[in-house]
Amino acid sequence: MQTLLFLFLTFLIVIFLLYIFFKSKQNRLSKLLSGTCPRCLETRKSFVDRSTNITFTNEIIETRVLKDYGCSGIKEVEFSCKSCGLKEIHSINSQMGCGI
């Protein structure tokens, strides 16, 4: 009986830890997609030229597509921060299609 209880508690802890892992990974990806570095918390900067009313943006996060698996496949994208040097690779589902 004690063994079954121990196994059940271990199973619950493992499931909870997996949930926390995937939730934090999703939060990091959403921060990177919004233009904020999750490590140094730098954001993109916008400057407005008052004489011409043109907005210039200085992006902190650079993106580079490593692999593209076609119209309905996934894309592997590398995000790198100019400020702190963070580099992360995430798989993103391409919902846009081919544009045919």
Side-chain angles (χ1 to χ4, degrees):
M1 184 68 183
Q2 290 177 351
T3 306
L4 290 175
L5 183 63
F6 176 73
L7 287 175
F8 180 70
L9 288 175
T10 306
F11 175 74
L12 288 178
I13 290 171
V14 167
I15 295 297
F16 181 69
L17 290 175
L18 284 173
Y19 173 74
I20 289 173
F21 171 75
F22 286 116
K23 189 71 171 171
S24 68
K25 187 175 179 180
Q26 186 66 28
N27 286 340
R28 288 180 73 87
L29 178 61
S30 65
K31 278 187 178 182
L32 287 169
L33 288 174
S34 70
T36 304
C37 179
R39 183 189 294 169
C40 64
L41 300 177
E42 283 278 333
T43 58
R44 66 177 68 134
K45 296 178 179 116
S46 300
F47 305 102
V48 177
D49 185 11
R50 301 219 188 271
S51 62
T52 59
N53 289 333
I54 297 175
T55 304
F56 299 100
T57 58
N58 184 12
E59 296 289 333
I60 297 296
I61 303 294
E62 291 181 345
T63 60
R64 184 172 62 122
V65 177
L66 298 176
K67 291 182 183 177
D68 188 2
Y69 293 104
C71 298
S72 61
I74 60 171
K75 291 182 181 180
E76 291 184 8
V77 181
E78 178 188 50
F79 296 95
S80 59
C81 178
K82 293 180 187 176
S83 178
C84 65
L86 172 75
K87 287 190 178 185
E88 288 187 7
I89 298 173
H90 289 277
S91 299
I92 299 174
N93 189 6
S94 58
Q95 305 262 336
M96 302 300 279
C98 289
I100 296 175

